[in-house]
Amino acid sequence: MTIAASTQLICFLVLSSVVVLGALGVVLLSNIVYSAFLLGGVFLAVAGLYLLLNASFVAAAQVLVYVGAVNVLILFAIMLVNKKEDLAPIPGITLRRLLSGGVCVGLFALLTRVVLTTPWVEGPEPIGEDATVRIGEHLFTDYLLPFELASVLLLMAMIGAIVLARRDVQAVDPGTGELADQGLIEKARTPLLVDQPPS
């Protein structure tokens, strides 16, 4: 094994372990802010895996779109809506955990079977500088509708987070019609020197 091949293998093992451990942290951590930061780390590690596949444009798009836009949007929504509330006990939580664990184990077994039974072959030859042009053509012709739907979905998520956060500073909750919690409304400020009447 050459130095380049061994270096590539070490990079793949490190990046794949970061992806797996980060994904487990996203799911298992109780603090949602830490989970969002770990999700950004997972996105960065996936971009590194794209670089190992000589897909530099896809790696750059991964960093710009997922780390720079989607993850920032998730963090923004979490910071707006993150309320300190005591969660009520969920009835039947043990059964729900067993069912979700069974689904996860089944999905993992299915993916493992696919990996072990698929006859992996060498992919097509890279097309070099024409890759960006080819991706742009597919993105704005064949996949234009999903691309626009994703942008509208992100915009709706941003608006929803702002509406949820604004409920605390309105007198009446627009959804239920009840009085809203006024704890976050700005208190009356002390008049500045320029606001005080002359003595």
Side-chain angles (χ1 to χ4, degrees):
M1 182 177 286
T2 62
I3 295 178
S6 59
T7 304
Q8 186 176 11
L9 179 61
I10 291 172
C11 291
F12 173 76
L13 292 176
V14 170
L15 290 172
S16 58
S17 62
V18 169
V19 169
V20 172
L21 294 177
L24 288 175
V26 169
V27 176
L28 298 177
L29 285 181
S30 59
N31 192 331
I32 193 170
V33 179
Y34 294 158
S35 297
F37 279 114
L38 280 176
L39 183 62
V42 170
F43 287 153
L44 287 173
V46 170
L49 291 174
Y50 285 141
L51 284 177
L52 287 179
L53 295 173
N54 292 326
S56 56
F57 177 77
V58 180
Q62 171 83 10
V63 173
L64 288 174
V65 175
Y66 285 98
V67 181
V70 174
N71 201 49
V72 171
L73 176 65
I74 291 172
L75 282 171
F76 184 61
I78 288 171
M79 297 301 182
L80 282 175
V81 188
N82 194 16
K83 300 177 181 178
K84 302 295 182 182
E85 294 180 359
D86 295 328
L87 297 177
I90 302 174
I93 187 65
T94 305
L95 178 62
R96 295 183 183 194
R97 286 179 176 172
L98 288 175
L99 289 176
S100 60
V103 170
C104 292
V105 169
L107 181 61
F108 181 75
L110 179 64
L111 292 175
T112 304
R113 181 181 180 279
V114 168
V115 168
L116 295 178
T117 59
T118 300
W120 300 102
V121 295
E122 291 291 330
E125 290 293 326
I127 57 177
E129 298 296 330
D130 293 335
T132 306
V133 177
R134 196 75 58 84
I135 291 174
E137 289 176 354
H138 285 296
L139 194 60
F140 290 105
T141 55
D142 301 332
Y143 301 104
L144 179 63
L145 183 61
F147 179 71
E148 294 299 329
L149 287 178
S151 62
V152 172
L153 181 64
L154 292 176
L155 179 62
M156 291 170 55
M158 176 81 76
I159 294 172
I162 293 172
V163 168
L164 287 174
R166 289 289 297 169
R167 286 187 180 180
D168 289 331
V169 296
Q170 293 177 354
V172 179
D173 191 326
T176 61
E178 300 175 356
L179 293 178
D181 183 13
Q182 303 296 308
L184 295 179
I185 292 182
E186 184 180 357
K187 303 298 186 292
R189 62 182 180 85
T190 305
L192 299 175
L193 292 177
V194 294
D195 296 335
Q196 295 178 355
S199 56

